[in-house]
Amino acid sequence: VPRKEAADLIDTYFKMGDMPHAILYLERAVKLNPSNQDARHNLEIASQMTLDKIDKVPEFVLMTWFKGIRQSLSADGWAVLTLILAAVTAALLLAFKRAPSVKARKISFIFACIIFVLAIFSFIFSLTGKNAVSRVDSAIVMSPVSSVKSSPSDNGNALFILHEGTKVKLLDQVGDWTKIELSDGRQGWLQSSTIEDI
C-alpha cells in the first residue's frame, strides 16, 4: 500500500474508533520503517487507548541501545550507508597507497580501519533490520474480548482475558490455536482467529 493511502487508511480507522486496525497498521508501518517518528508517536497514542495495561519486562541495556541505533534508519537506509562507508574505506586505502609521507599513510590507514568497522556495524544493522521486517513474530488482538487458555483447547483453563488492540508475541501454533506471550512474560493459548499478524 502506498504511503499516502496507508496514512489515510490509518486515519480512517482512528476516526471510526477502530483501534485494533489502527494499531495493526501503525505497527506494520513501524516494522517497515522503524525511523518513522510520526507512526511511532501515533502508535504510542493509540496504544494508550487500549484496555489492557501490561508492564514490560526490563530489557538488557545493551540490547536497548542496539535496537535504538538500528531503528534510527530503515533496513534500506543502513544498506545505503554501508555502501557509502565501503566506498570511503576504499578511497582511504587508495590514499594510503599513494600517500607521499609516512604520517599521511598512518592517518589514512587509521581512518580506513575506523570507517571499515562502522561499515561492518552498518551492514549488521541492515541485515537485522531486514530480518525483523520479514519475520512474523507478533500480532494484534482483534476481538473485543479474548480468553487466554492454559492449553490449545476450549477445555483449557482460562488464565486471563485480553482485549482488542493488545500486542502479543507469537510462540507456537497448534491447529486453530496460537501460543502467545505478553510483554510482562505471561503465556497462554489464543484462538488464531482472534488475532492478526503484524
Side-chain angles (χ1 to χ4, degrees):
V1 180
R3 185 177 298 178
K4 186 180 185 305
E5 282 78 356
D8 290 342
L9 185 63
I10 292 168
D11 186 51
T12 300
Y13 282 130
F14 261 117
K15 289 177 179 177
M16 292 171 57
D18 188 347
M19 285 301 110
H21 280 96
I23 290 172
L24 175 66
Y25 284 101
L26 284 168
E27 286 281 4
R28 287 175 177 173
V30 170
K31 185 177 182 179
L32 287 172
N33 183 9
S35 62
N36 186 338
Q37 295 302 320
D38 288 339
R40 284 187 168 279
H41 176 71
N42 292 335
L43 177 59
E44 188 175 334
I45 293 172
S47 297
Q48 290 173 357
M49 297 179 184
T50 60
L51 292 176
D52 298 322
K53 308 302 177 188
I54 302 167
D55 295 325
K56 291 185 178 181
V57 175
E59 194 174 46
F60 185 51
V61 65
L62 290 179
M63 183 59 69
T64 302
W65 289 347
F66 178 85
K67 285 183 178 178
I69 295 171
R70 191 193 75 194
Q71 292 173 352
S72 63
L73 290 175
S74 65
D76 289 342
W78 283 115
V80 170
L81 182 59
T82 300
L83 293 175
I84 293 171
L85 291 174
V88 172
T89 301
L92 287 169
L93 288 175
L94 185 62
F96 165 76
K97 187 175 181 181
R98 297 185 175 182
S101 65
V102 174
K103 185 177 180 180
R105 286 183 181 179
K106 284 183 179 179
I107 292 172
S108 298
F109 182 75
I110 290 170
F111 276 100
C113 290
I114 293 171
I115 300 298
F116 180 68
V117 170
L118 292 176
I120 291 174
F121 277 106
S122 181
F123 180 68
I124 291 171
F125 290 144
S126 177
L127 279 183
T128 55
K130 184 178 179 181
N131 289 338
V133 169
S134 60
R135 188 171 59 242
V136 179
D137 61 355
S138 55
I140 299 297
V141 177
M142 306 304 288
S143 295
V145 179
S146 301
S147 178
V148 180
K149 303 284 188 175
S150 59
S151 61
S153 165
D154 286 321
N155 298 324
N157 296 326
L159 300 177
F160 49 91
I161 297 293
L162 291 179
H163 299 87
E164 58 185 7
T166 301
K167 184 178 180 180
V168 297
K169 183 178 180 181
L170 306 177
L171 299 179
D172 195 8
Q173 187 163 3
V174 174
D176 296 330
W177 294 83
T178 300
K179 187 174 185 181
I180 58 97
E181 182 179 57
L182 301 181
S183 56
D184 61 5
R186 286 181 291 167
Q187 296 182 1
W189 293 87
L190 271 177
Q191 286 191 331
S192 301
S193 60
T194 64
I195 57 178
E196 191 164 341
D197 296 343
I198 295 173

